[in-house]
Amino acid sequence: MENASTTTLVMKRIFQVSPERVFDAWLNPEMMRKWLFTMEATNKIARNEPHVGGTWEIVDHRGGKDYRAIGEYREIDPPRRLVFTFRMPQFSDTEDIVTIELKPVEEGCEMTFTQVIVVPHEEGWTAEDVERALHEYNSSSEHGWSLMFGGLKQLLETGTIEFPS
């Protein structure tokens, strides 16, 4: 993309389950529909073709609107590494790259999540505008993923997700 910058978000989480279980939660549609960009109650579609070059799609229905997240798998190395693209076409043409790395630790596994976020520039933006946008995209992405990873942790460690009402 011509007028765009990128910011990299890195997050680490510990799960008290095996790397295999966490890896499966990223690829198994029954698991995906419970936590990835969606919740079971609002999920309309969770489907994927978990092979390199295969695609994934989630459609969440909230507030009378459908929100669609899609991407393509770039690398699948179970249970260590997963790389895929991520886009939400209704908001932007930009495509982010997400990398999940898992390693066993004493209490289960550590997940390192990295998202290279593409931030499109608007006409007339100054360097300060770009910096502010990069910070906002990074911070709002971190907030969204934090909520999802909280749900994922509950799902993996207890088998259910309870969202605060």
Side-chain angles (χ1 to χ4, degrees):
M1 173 166 275
E2 185 92 2
N3 288 329
S5 303
T6 59
T7 177
T8 301
L9 170 64
V10 178
M11 300 171 72
K12 288 185 188 282
R13 291 289 186 275
I14 298 283
F15 296 98
Q16 292 172 343
V17 297
S18 68
E20 288 80 3
R21 293 271 318 275
V22 180
F23 200 87
D24 187 52
W26 283 95
L27 291 181
N28 175 331
E30 286 311 303
M31 295 284 280
M32 290 164 69
R33 77 170 59 245
K34 294 179 181 177
W35 74 275
L36 187 62
F37 303 109
T38 187
M39 295 182 286
E40 210 160 16
T42 56
N43 181 264
K44 287 174 85 171
I45 294 171
R47 62 171 193 81
N48 69 345
E49 300 157 355
H51 57 84
V52 172
T55 58
W56 63 270
E57 174 183 26
I58 292 204
V59 178
D60 190 47
H61 187 78
R62 284 189 211 178
K65 275 197 182 122
D66 283 350
Y67 295 94
R68 184 166 171 253
I70 59 173
E72 183 180 302
Y73 294 107
R74 296 271 176 92
E75 202 180 314
I76 301 178
D77 178 16
R80 288 181 291 279
R81 188 174 157 90
L82 179 64
V83 181
F84 58 89
T85 63
F86 163 70
R87 8 192 242 113
M88 291 191 80
Q90 76 202 74
F91 298 115
S92 165
D93 295 334
T94 62
E95 187 172 77
D96 295 351
I97 303 285
V98 172
T99 303
I100 309 301
E101 291 169 305
L102 299 167
K103 67 173 191 202
V105 292
E106 216 170 282
E107 59 271 47
C109 80
E110 180 184 74
M111 175 180 81
T112 303
F113 167 92
T114 307
Q115 180 179 12
V116 178
I117 304 166
V118 177
V119 180
H121 297 183
E122 290 177 24
E123 210 173 310
W125 269 12
T126 64
E128 289 79 32
D129 293 328
V130 171
E131 277 308 306
R132 186 168 40 250
L134 289 171
H135 178 76
E136 282 168 11
Y137 273 68
N138 195 298
S139 150
S140 68
S141 293
E142 182 171 20
H143 177 72
W145 286 111
S146 284
L147 294 173
M148 283 187 265
F149 295 160
L152 176 59
K153 187 173 175 66
Q154 279 189 331
L155 180 65
L156 289 171
E157 294 175 5
T158 69
T160 59
I161 300 182
E162 289 177 29
F163 289 97
S165 46

